[in-house]
Structure formats: structure tokens, C-alpha cells
């Protein structure tokens, strides 16, 4: 039985991509996989298939119905903004206690492999007082940190690792998901992170073409579950 929280150094880095790849790998090995995307922003029910929720449901082999969507993503916000801001503009708020209760319930019930995708980077605000970091501390799962290979990622990634470490969160792995057209190579970026992040497994995931999710590195990442 394993549960992991997938977070990253920012938005659009590759959390959903990595989660989908892991789900696919684990399912092909006969594992019973569950995934949650408790908070989703920029969500439009008419284009739900391209939302994180829709992509995760598809990877899980589950139908894209309102019931399934609500089951894995109870907090859905329309505005493509940080959760606190989107919620405020939509006249609602994310109930931090209920969010944690939702996750704890899923963690206590899960039978095999559970992947929870966070939102944005490790410290994006969820409400007036809490960030994703507070959420991760509350549910206390090992973290998979997804980073990019763009120039600038080293400081973002090492800062994130430092914050996770200071808060006694276990980092199961760092996945460097290749940023297209970066002046820095994927290999150099991953090597540098490895040099500073001693004792943490660092995976270098190349940019995969088209709809491909299968790759030996993806298989190795799924092994952490
Ligand atoms: N290694 C990769 N190979 C191919 N496409 C990738 C890779 N990593 C991320 N992407 C693509 O980049 C975009 C942003 O990734 P996504 O997983 O949605 O980020 P996040 O969940 O962190 O916001 C998506 O279109 C995703 O498919
Ligand atoms: Mg995502």
C-alpha cells in the first residue's frame, strides 16, 4: 500500500503528465490505482476531458461523468488563477479542514496505490492563510517533486527541497521533466540537482513526443510506488 503527493516547483511543469505516466505503468502491472486532484482551477465542465481531472480519470480508465469528476475533484474552480484568488472571485472558498478530511479519508481507505496531485507549486495559496505546503504537512505523505529543466529551475528546485526538508516532509523522488527549448540540458540539470540533493532519487524524464507516456524513466518513477 502506497500513497504519494505529487507537487512541483510551479504550474505547467509536468505534475499531471508524471501522474498519468505512473498510473499507466502501475495499471499495466496489475496494480489497483486511485488518483485524486482535489483542487482544480481553470475548470470548465464543457472541456472537462482536457482538464487535469479529465486526464487523470482517462488514465485510470474511469468514465468522464459529473459523479466521477466530483469524486476525484471536489473543489473545482473556473478561473485559471491561484485557488485562493479563483475562489474569492467566484464567491466561494476552499474549506481547508474539509480538504484534509477528504484526503485523509481517501488515504485511510486506499487499498493499493494512491496518487494525489497537488496544485501549482509547493506554496501556492489555497485560502487567506494556508498554502499547498500546509496541506502537505497536514496529510503528511511522501512527496514527488516535479521540476523543469528551464534555466532558473535549479534555484526553484533547491529552494523547494529546502522548504520540504525544514518541514520534515519526506521526498520520495525529484522528477526533472524536460522543458522544451531550454539552453540547459536535461542531463546537466538533473546532475546538478543530484549533487545538492544528496540521498534523494532524481529522475531525468525527457520530453516525450505526442501522446506517448511510456518510457523507461517513467517505469522507474512508478517503481517508487
Ligand atoms: N516530459 C514531458 N514530455 C512531454 N510533455 C510533457 C512532459 N512534461 C510535461 N509535459 C506537457 O506539458 C504540459 C504541462 O504539464 P502538466 O503535467 O499539465 O503540468 P502541471 O500538472 O504541473 O501543471 C502538458 O501539456 C504536458 O502534457
Ligand atoms: Mg496538473
Amino acid at each position: 500500500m502506497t500513497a504519494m503527493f505529487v507537487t512541483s516547483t510551479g504550474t505547467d511543469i509536468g505534475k499531471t503528465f508524471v501522474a498519468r505516466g505512473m498510473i499507466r505503468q502501475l495499471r499495466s502491472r496489475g496494480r489497483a490505482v486511485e488518483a485524486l486532484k482535489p483542487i482544480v482551477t481553470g475548470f470548465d465542465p464543457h472541456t472537462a476531458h482536457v482538464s487535469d481531472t479529465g486526464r487523470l480519470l482517462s488514465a485510470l480508465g474511469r468514465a468522464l461523468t459529473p459523479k466521477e469528476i466530483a469524486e476525484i475533484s471536489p473543489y473545482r474552480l473556473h478561473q485559471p488563477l491561484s485557488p485562493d484568488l479563483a475562489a474569492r472571485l467566484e464567491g466561494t472558498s476552499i474549506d481547508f479542514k474539509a480538504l484534509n478530511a477528504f484526503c485523509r479519508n481517501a488515504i485511510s481507505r486506499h487499498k493499493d496505490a494512491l496518487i494525489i496531485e497537488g496544485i501549482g507549486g509547493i506554496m501556492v495559496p489555497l485560502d487567506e492563510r494556508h498554502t499547498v505546503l500546509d496541506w502537505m504537512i497536514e496529510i503528511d505523505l511522501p512527496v514527488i517533486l516535479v521540476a523543469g529543466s528551464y534555466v532558473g529551475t535549479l534555484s526553484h528546485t533547491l529552494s523547494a527541497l529546502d522548504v520540504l526538508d525544514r518541514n520534515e516532509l519526506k521526498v520520495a523522488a525529484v522528477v526533472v521533466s524536460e522543458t522544451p527549448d531550454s539552453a540547459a540540458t536535461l542531463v546537466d540539470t538533473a546532475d546538478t540537482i543530484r549533487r545538492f540533493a544528496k540521498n534523494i532519487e532524481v529522475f531525468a524524464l525527457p520530453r516525450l513526443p505526442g501522446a506517448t507516456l511510456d518510457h523507461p524513466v517513467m517505469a522507474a518513477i512508478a517503481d517508487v510506488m
Side-chain angles (χ1 to χ4, degrees):
M1 236 171 48
T2 329
M4 300 254 168
F5 191 95
V6 179
T7 188
S8 70
T9 51
T11 192
D12 278 339
I13 302 284
K15 293 183 298 296
T16 310
F17 189 80
V18 168
R20 287 165 61 216
M22 292 174 72
I23 292 167
R24 198 179 155 120
Q25 284 289 335
L26 294 167
R27 288 187 69 211
S28 75
R29 299 174 194 178
R31 300 277 302 269
V33 193
E34 294 162 75
L36 301 173
K37 170 78 188 184
I39 307 169
V40 58
T41 55
F43 183 81
D44 178 348
H46 302 291
T47 55
H49 60 290
V50 292
S51 67
D52 284 6
T53 310
R55 290 190 198 280
L56 292 175
L57 282 173
S58 159
L60 292 166
R62 289 171 61 174
L64 189 65
T65 62
K67 180 176 168 284
E68 299 279 62
I69 290 170
E71 255 180 48
I72 76 162
S73 298
Y75 299 96
R76 301 178 302 281
L77 297 160
H78 187 71
Q79 298 284 334
L81 299 168
S82 64
D84 66 322
L85 200 52
R88 183 156 21 111
L89 292 175
E90 292 168 42
T92 179
S93 62
I94 288 164
D95 181 336
F96 187 68
K97 275 197 176 142
L99 169 69
N100 291 317
F102 170 77
C103 293
R104 282 202 198 98
N105 184 36
I107 293 164
S108 68
R109 278 185 300 113
H110 87 285
K111 297 198 173 64
D112 185 356
L114 171 67
I115 296 171
I116 302 182
E117 180 183 338
I119 182 151
I122 66 161
M123 283 188 80
V124 73
L126 304 178
D127 61 18
E128 289 295 307
R129 292 194 304 120
H130 303 100
T131 71
V132 166
L133 179 64
D134 300 302
W135 180 19
M136 293 192 290
I137 291 169
E138 281 291 328
I139 60 173
D140 198 25
L141 292 182
V143 166
I144 296 176
L145 178 69
V146 183
S149 64
Y150 56 90
V151 174
T153 194
L154 297 172
S155 180
H156 293 165
T157 306
L158 299 180
S159 303
L161 288 173
D162 185 59
V163 167
L164 294 169
D165 183 55
R166 284 170 197 265
N167 286 282
E168 292 170 25
L169 284 161
K170 181 174 185 291
V171 179
V174 173
V175 178
V176 186
S177 187
E178 187 172 22
T179 308
D181 307 318
S182 174
T185 69
L186 176 64
V187 169
D188 285 344
T189 304
D191 280 349
T192 306
I193 294 170
R194 248 179 232 120
R195 186 150 48 84
F196 284 88
K198 294 199 175 65
N199 308 322
I200 297 178
E201 189 147 28
V202 179
F203 295 100
L205 181 67
R207 198 82 193 166
L208 305 183
T212 320
L213 282 171
D214 286 325
H215 188 275
V217 174
M218 202 67 102
I221 296 166
D223 286 342
V224 305
M225 300 289 294

